[in-house]
Amino acid sequence: MRQPPHAAVEVQGLSKSYGDHAVLRSVDLRVEQGGVLALLGPNGAGKTTTVRVLTTLTDPDAGSVRVAGYDVVTERRRAQRAISLTGQFAAVDETQTGAENLWTTARLAGLTRAAARRRAAELLERFALTDAGGRLVRTYSGGMRRRLDLAAGLVGEPRVLFLDEPTTGLDPRSRRQLWEVVRELAAAGTAVLLTTQYLEEADQLADRVAVLHGGRIAAEGTPEELKASAGQTVLEVTAADAAAFARLEARTPHPVAHRSPETLTLSFPTRGDARHLRTLLDELDPGRDEITGFSVRRATLDDVFMALTGAPATETTGTTDAKEPSHV
Amino acid sequence: MSEALTLAGRCLRMNRRDPEALFMAILLPVALMLVFVYFFGGAIDTGSAYVTYVVPGLLVLCAGYGSAGTAMRVTEDMRTGVVDRFRSMGVTGTPMLAGHVAASVVRNILATAMVLSVALLIGFRPAADPLAWLAAAGLLLAYLVAVSWLAAGVGLLARTPEGASGFTFFLMFLPYPSSAFVPIETMPTWLHGFAEHQPVTPLIESLRALLLDEPLGSAPWTALAWCGGILLIAVAASNALFRFRTR
């Protein structure tokens, strides 16, 4: 018997290169049983590669990778039976019906014909697809397709669920429906590792967040801890003009959380009290003519992300990392 | 094995929803048969009714054309997330491709039956006993499996379905420089070497001998050896390719 208190995901020193491009450099990750970890990172940070290694699709070059207590290389079959993957590209057949898609996956998961039929019906019901179950998937909306995709991942009742950008391209309503499902699964004890470019999604769903940048974990903690690390509050100032913006930026002795020359705004972490804000404004603009406006707001994961990676989360170009192989 | 059957069922269901492709797979060989029998046949002297001469070759052409479609289906599959999902469930390349091959064989048995029916309607008069029919069916089946698996390998290699469709043309033209439509003796001498020794020639010769009750010689064994060799190479190569393309 294996010792029961193993984590759902335990990754130590995971490295992976494609040719001489190092995609992952000694990544450590841990997801507790029933926990939800959001893996954040700009495009090319290595999110998909991490998920591919954890779901046995790609072998790691180095490091120890265990899911549900099983090593993904030496205990591949056992690991595969404990996990489920819903990847970036829809894994359902357009020219099968919803029910047929679920049935096929259930049969491959080792269920008998009768059990597969029951399981398909159950999942259709649970994902509000019973009425659409007999229709070809090509007639489904994006949200229905995603729900079916997730349902197909659940046929084998996985203990650890991997979701690679599960809500990319969904409308806000479908996104909320999917969040609801993930919350229910987590509440029922399924561990979830999801990658996302939406910080709100991480904030809503995850009890822990790991920021992946340039193939390394740049920060890890609860969303609250991460926000605290960026300063609880952020002061955002607007410069009078481009010259003033440049002078402000050159003069500041403080770490800049975010700069945006286009809108002439700079933001700084602050403690949030009036005294600190007043001092900060005076230090930044002793002549009192370069700052035309300011606002004070609570730090968001966006600020954390900016501070750690120097790029907004949804930016698609401009990072120094090469794109990950697409595996298409 | 049960994985392969489940996946074959999946491919067949998906085929059924693509009637255009099935229709083409049947229509094209039938149309070709009509063209050869009625347009060219009168000018070709093979020493017997031309329709009777040409049907074995057409059956092989039809089988090659139909099987080649497997390449496009595999390429299509590799472009979706389905392969990743199945792989993360422990499904390996062999059952994945075996599913496609099985579906291709079923599809082609249907198409072959249609072509044969039309051939009988327009005057094809075979002289085979049940045993010879069975042997002919077995040879054609071996060819279907071998070529379908080869096509699956090509499907793994191709990046787009359009690229994979190039293979269809290759297999469609392979029977032309053989005894399928005209006796090899009527071709230029430099072509004899290729025409006599290429893989589909012994197959066509065997089918013709079996269906028309002519002396067989060693052709069926040569044909089987070709099919076996192609299948072995196709399975090994496509397994390696599958691993390479999905890493």
Side-chain angles (χ1 to χ4, degrees), chain A residues 117-322:
Chain A
R117 206 162 295 130
R118 271 199 306 279
R119 190 88 184 112
E122 240 169 70
L123 286 165
L124 286 173
E125 168 90 50
R126 179 163 164 203
F127 284 83
L129 289 168
T130 304
D131 292 339
R135 269 170 36 208
L136 295 188
V137 172
R138 67 168 166 230
T139 67
Y140 283 24
S141 69
M144 289 163 78
R145 217 170 282 217
R146 262 294 169 194
R147 293 211 299 279
L148 180 70
D149 201 358
L150 189 58
L154 298 177
V155 289
E157 300 182 59
R159 283 184 276 158
V160 191
L161 188 60
F162 293 92
L163 305 171
D164 195 5
E165 304 206 359
T167 61
T168 300
L170 286 192
D171 59 74
R173 188 167 147 265
S174 309
R175 179 171 300 159
R176 282 183 187 282
Q177 281 179 341
L178 202 102
W179 286 354
E180 215 35 64
V181 173
V182 173
R183 281 196 197 102
E184 280 168 26
L185 286 167
T190 310
V192 180
L193 186 151
L194 67 105
T195 73
T196 182
Q197 298 197 30
Y198 303 111
L199 299 154
E200 189 201 351
E201 186 158 284
D203 218 355
Q204 287 275 338
L205 285 180
D207 47 38
R208 292 193 81 78
V209 173
V211 179
L212 192 60
H213 182 54
R216 288 193 180 86
I217 299 293
E220 206 263 334
T222 65
E224 290 314 313
E225 283 167 3
L226 289 183
K227 285 180 213 165
S229 77
Q232 284 295 346
T233 13
V234 174
L235 169 70
E236 195 168 271
V237 301
T238 309
D241 50 40
F245 179 86
R247 280 197 300 277
L248 282 174
E249 204 181 3
R251 193 182 303 133
T252 174
H254 301 279
V256 178
H258 180 49
R259 60 183 291 276
S260 166
E262 299 82 20
T263 57
L264 301 175
T265 54
L266 285 167
S267 24
F268 305 88
T270 90
R271 289 201 309 270
D273 53 286
R275 176 196 287 264
H276 189 223
L277 284 172
R278 199 171 282 144
T279 319
L280 198 60
L281 284 170
D282 280 340
E283 278 173 10
L284 283 169
D285 184 15
R288 301 197 170 181
D289 56 358
E290 285 166 350
I291 293 177
T292 57
F294 71 91
S295 66
V296 180
R297 56 178 172 78
R298 288 186 53 76
T300 62
L301 278 179
D302 256 306
D303 299 310
V304 180
F305 201 82
M306 282 296 297
L308 287 167
T309 67
T314 45
E315 189 172 273
T316 49
T317 51
T319 50
T320 48
D321 301 289

Side-chain angles (χ1 to χ4, degrees), chain B residues 30 38 64 71 91 112 134 141 162 193-194 200 202 217 221-222 239 245:
Chain B
V30 169
Y38 293 113
V91 178
T112 305
L134 209 63
L141 190 67
E162 291 75 26
F194 177 76
V200 301
W221 304 116
T222 317
N239 259 345
R245 284 302 301 269

Side-chain angles (χ1 to χ4, degrees), chain B residues 35 43 51 73 100 131 143 163 179 224 233 238:
Chain B
V35 166
V51 61
R73 289 162 212 275
H100 279 286
L131 208 65
Y143 182 68
S179 63
L224 272 181
I233 291 169
S238 58

Side-chain angles (χ1 to χ4, degrees), chain A residues 52 57 93 96 100, chain B residues 10 13 17 84-85 87:
Chain A
R52 289 183 69 83
L57 295 177
D93 295 318
Q96 286 207 91
E100 286 165 352
Chain B
R10 164 181 177 261
R13 274 194 298 279
R17 274 118 196 195
D84 277 348
R85 149 103 18 95
R87 280 184 62 233

